[in-house]
Amino acid sequence: MDGTTGGHPHFEHEIRVTWGDCDPAKIAYTARIPWFALDAINAWWETHLGGDGWFQMELDRNVGTPFVHMSLDFSAPITPRHRLICQVDPIDLGNSSIRFRVLGRQDGVLCFSGEFVCVFIVADSFSKQPVPSDIRTIVEPLLRPVGA
Amino acid sequence: MDGTTGGHPHFEHEIRVTWGDCDPAKIAYTARIPWFALDAINAWWETHLGGDGWFQMELDRNVGTPFVHMSLDFSAPITPRHRLICQVDPIDLGNSSIRFRVLGRQDGVLCFSGEFVCVFIVADSFSKQPVPSDIRTIVEPLLRPVGA
Amino acid sequence: MDGTTGGHPHFEHEIRVTWGDCDPAKIAYTARIPWFALDAINAWWETHLGGDGWFQMELDRNVGTPFVHMSLDFSAPITPRHRLICQVDPIDLGNSSIRFRVLGRQDGVLCFSGEFVCVFIVADSFSKQPVPSDIRTIVEPLLRPVGA
Amino acid sequence: MDGTTGGHPHFEHEIRVTWGDCDPAKIAYTARIPWFALDAINAWWETHLGGDGWFQMELDRNVGTPFVHMSLDFSAPITPRHRLICQVDPIDLGNSSIRFRVLGRQDGVLCFSGEFVCVFIVADSFSKQPVPSDIRTIVEPLLRPVGA
């Protein structure tokens, strides 16, 4: 799982963790962490889709990508002492679904790892659709099979 | 998985889903759903620990229960049209960990199911500890092994 | 400002403040408090409009009520030790606007007081409109002029 | 209110508004906006206090700055179409309080303006204190009296 093999660098999204993200244990509240991960996935789309995140995908492209699954393991507390660097990679592209891996690190320490599965839908009818071909063309070269 | 066998009813926590929880797709934003599930788990503690949720556990009992894992499957959109009923059950109690299952339903339809694992720590030292005996006494009769 | 004169009781909305609402100072994070107040205003609409909050007003009635102003004074910290009781009253109804007062109390102590002004719009065109007559009929008897 | 007179530029904090910040009206939910403004004020502290935001002020300096007042006017919807640029200036420094003005703009259009008052406390005792002298030294040259 070398981060730089494969011909392209990993995508990283930086999050400024704040006082308001923390609970009385002085670490980011657990329920904020999926939110951070989703912010990172949205930023991944913005970067790779010409500036279009979920908002523009839905309103301008009529493409929705609702989540059907998420799984996270938490390995170290997250604090405002360092920026949270979220590495995002698509790790599988099915006929009508996409799986992302998000790794969150602070100061080089892995804080959480997660996997997230979204399905592609026609936004205005909420009906399943195959991955749109322009999106498939963009995503395929970015795929990072886990363990490869 | 009959909800009423086993001698005690499932715990249910009701959530009022609002406009502000929803995104432009007119359904609750995905990142709100783990937050709802955690609210339900906290309410489970309040109910079974004499009114003490995470806040009182940490400050009054010096017991923390940070999350090490969460996994959720989303099966139907959540909207403000109905209250969200979150069924919470402890499904495993280890030496120093507890696993919860949370099922979220609206109008009888399953919207999400999730599993959450927390470990017990001494709050002020952030060091792992066995399940405190008074908590073990309370939780054991409430355990609902999955598939049982 | 006696709370019970005027022929009808104040509307109260109860909020369960949790660990996750609190920051490292062990009190509710300031930015959560306007959120609580809005939850209370939405609950006020639900109660007085036959179950319709902002979601149903927008989608079913084509009526939006965006905020143009909010002002809050914070007088005591909010914690999970007590439920937060939010008293909501409409205090002025203009041609196309409504002003609410929200008072948040815990254990009888005033924690915050706020005023909020919303304007009425046709939701799908985002154009200003007079207060719809059915809403005016419902709201007028509930008005609680400040100082009266 | 020329933004560049006075010898120093205004501080600006950029916020990436996302899908998850928006409600079904396709604009940022009102209760997110005070949160954005507080993020901007915290970033102002980080920038001017050697990287210390509220978290470090509380934990490392034993200085708290709880809010006693906020007031916001909303003049244009906020969307994910543009970054939200929050201009933050301290506009008054009292014996034991500070007043900030925050102006939020997207694509050059003013979306909200707000004023926020915080008081200085000794964090671990929650008791009022005068503005610490090192902070006074830093803030005074940055003051931007309104109307000046």
Side-chain angles (χ1 to χ4, degrees):
Chain A
M1 209 167 16
D2 182 313
T4 55
T5 56
H8 60 88
H10 291 290
F11 174 79
E12 292 184 341
H13 175 66
E14 182 183 296
I15 289 175
R16 183 190 283 252
V17 180
T18 71
W19 169 260
D21 296 316
C22 294
D23 60 31
K26 303 181 181 68
I27 59 178
Y29 179 52
T30 303
R32 282 296 286 156
I33 302 175
W35 204 297
F36 292 155
L38 265 66
D39 280 345
I41 295 173
N42 183 62
W44 184 92
W45 281 116
E46 284 194 2
T47 298
H48 295 99
L49 223 56
D52 290 1
W54 291 321
F55 186 85
Q56 293 85 358
M57 289 166 76
E58 175 99 4
L59 273 67
D60 302 343
R61 294 169 178 254
N62 198 23
V63 173
T65 61
F67 286 78
V68 294
H69 175 73
M70 69 167 64
S71 173
L72 293 105
D73 290 294
F74 307 104
S75 46
I78 295 170
T79 80
R81 298 271 181 208
H82 301 278
R83 295 295 187 250
L84 175 66
I85 309 301
C86 293
Q87 172 187 317
V88 182
D89 292 295
I91 57 173
D92 192 40
L93 189 68
N95 180 54
S96 61
S97 67
I98 186 166
R99 179 180 288 261
F100 289 99
R101 181 184 54 208
V102 182
L103 303 177
R105 297 186 182 91
Q106 286 197 305
D107 198 28
V109 175
L110 184 70
C111 299
F112 74 88
S113 59
E115 290 196 11
F116 302 81
V117 182
C118 305
V119 292
F120 287 84
I121 63 168
V122 180
D124 60 13
S125 67
F126 218 85
S127 57
K128 213 169 172 178
Q129 66 163 325
V131 181
S133 61
D134 58 335
I135 291 180
R136 180 172 291 279
T137 302
I138 289 166
V139 173
E140 278 186 342
L142 301 169
L143 283 170
R144 289 273 188 166
V146 170
Chain B
M1 209 166 17
D2 181 315
T4 53
T5 57
H8 59 88
H10 291 290
F11 173 79
E12 291 185 342
H13 176 66
E14 183 182 297
I15 290 175
R16 185 190 281 252
V17 180
T18 71
W19 170 260
D21 296 315
C22 294
D23 61 31
K26 304 181 181 68
I27 59 178
Y29 179 52
T30 303
R32 283 295 287 155
I33 302 176
W35 203 297
F36 293 153
L38 266 65
D39 279 345
I41 294 173
N42 183 62
W44 184 92
W45 282 115
E46 284 194 2
T47 298
H48 295 99
L49 223 56
D52 289 2
W54 291 322
F55 186 85
Q56 293 86 358
M57 291 166 76
E58 176 99 5
L59 273 68
D60 303 342
R61 293 170 179 252
N62 198 23
V63 173
T65 60
F67 286 79
V68 293
H69 175 73
M70 70 167 65
S71 173
L72 294 104
D73 290 292
F74 307 103
S75 46
I78 294 170
T79 79
R81 298 271 181 208
H82 301 278
R83 296 295 186 249
L84 175 65
I85 309 300
C86 291
Q87 173 188 317
V88 181
D89 292 293
I91 58 173
D92 192 40
L93 189 69
N95 180 54
S96 61
S97 67
I98 186 167
R99 178 180 289 262
F100 289 100
R101 180 184 56 207
V102 182
L103 303 178
R105 296 187 182 92
Q106 286 196 306
D107 198 28
V109 176
L110 184 70
C111 299
F112 74 88
S113 58
E115 291 197 10
F116 301 81
V117 182
C118 305
V119 293
F120 286 83
I121 63 169
V122 181
D124 60 14
S125 67
F126 218 85
S127 58
K128 212 169 171 176
Q129 67 164 326
V131 181
S133 61
D134 58 334
I135 291 181
R136 180 171 291 279
T137 301
I138 289 166
V139 174
E140 278 186 341
L142 301 170
L143 284 170
R144 290 272 188 166
V146 170
Chain C
M1 206 165 20
D2 180 314
T4 52
T5 56
H8 59 88
H10 291 290
F11 174 79
E12 291 184 341
H13 175 67
E14 182 183 296
I15 290 175
R16 184 190 283 251
V17 180
T18 72
W19 170 259
D21 296 316
C22 295
D23 61 31
K26 304 182 181 68
I27 59 177
Y29 179 52
T30 303
R32 283 295 287 155
I33 302 176
W35 203 296
F36 293 154
L38 265 66
D39 279 345
I41 295 173
N42 183 61
W44 185 91
W45 281 115
E46 283 194 3
T47 298
H48 295 98
L49 224 57
D52 290 2
W54 291 321
F55 187 84
Q56 294 85 357
M57 290 166 76
E58 176 98 5
L59 273 68
D60 303 342
R61 294 171 178 252
N62 198 23
V63 172
T65 60
F67 285 78
V68 294
H69 175 74
M70 69 168 63
S71 173
L72 293 105
D73 291 292
F74 307 104
S75 45
I78 294 170
T79 80
R81 298 269 182 209
H82 301 278
R83 297 293 187 252
L84 175 65
I85 310 300
C86 292
Q87 171 187 318
V88 182
D89 293 293
I91 57 173
D92 192 40
L93 189 68
N95 181 53
S96 61
S97 68
I98 185 167
R99 178 180 289 261
F100 289 99
R101 180 184 56 206
V102 183
L103 304 178
R105 297 186 181 92
Q106 285 197 306
D107 198 30
V109 176
L110 184 71
C111 300
F112 73 88
S113 59
E115 291 197 10
F116 301 82
V117 182
C118 305
V119 293
F120 286 84
I121 62 168
V122 180
D124 60 13
S125 67
F126 218 85
S127 58
K128 211 170 173 177
Q129 65 163 326
V131 181
S133 61
D134 58 334
I135 291 181
R136 179 172 292 279
T137 301
I138 289 166
V139 173
E140 279 187 340
L142 301 170
L143 283 170
R144 289 273 188 164
V146 171
Chain D
M1 207 166 18
D2 180 314
T4 54
T5 56
H8 59 89
H10 291 289
F11 173 78
E12 290 185 342
H13 175 66
E14 182 183 295
I15 290 175
R16 183 191 282 251
V17 180
T18 72
W19 170 260
D21 296 317
C22 295
D23 61 30
K26 304 181 180 69
I27 59 178
Y29 179 51
T30 303
R32 283 296 286 157
I33 302 175
W35 203 298
F36 292 154
L38 265 66
D39 279 345
I41 294 173
N42 183 62
W44 184 91
W45 282 115
E46 283 195 2
T47 298
H48 295 98
L49 223 57
D52 290 1
W54 291 320
F55 186 85
Q56 293 86 358
M57 290 167 75
E58 175 98 5
L59 272 68
D60 303 342
R61 295 170 178 251
N62 197 24
V63 174
T65 60
F67 286 78
V68 294
H69 175 73
M70 69 167 64
S71 173
L72 294 105
D73 291 292
F74 307 104
S75 46
I78 294 170
T79 80
R81 298 273 181 206
H82 302 277
R83 296 295 187 250
L84 176 65
I85 309 301
C86 292
Q87 172 188 317
V88 182
D89 292 294
I91 58 174
D92 192 41
L93 190 68
N95 180 54
S96 61
S97 68
I98 185 167
R99 179 180 288 262
F100 289 100
R101 180 184 56 205
V102 182
L103 304 178
R105 297 185 181 91
Q106 286 197 305
D107 198 30
V109 175
L110 184 71
C111 300
F112 73 88
S113 59
E115 290 196 10
F116 302 80
V117 182
C118 304
V119 292
F120 287 84
I121 62 169
V122 180
D124 60 13
S125 67
F126 219 86
S127 58
K128 213 169 172 178
Q129 67 164 324
V131 181
S133 62
D134 58 335
I135 291 181
R136 179 172 292 281
T137 302
I138 289 166
V139 174
E140 278 186 341
L142 301 169
L143 284 170
R144 289 274 188 164
V146 171

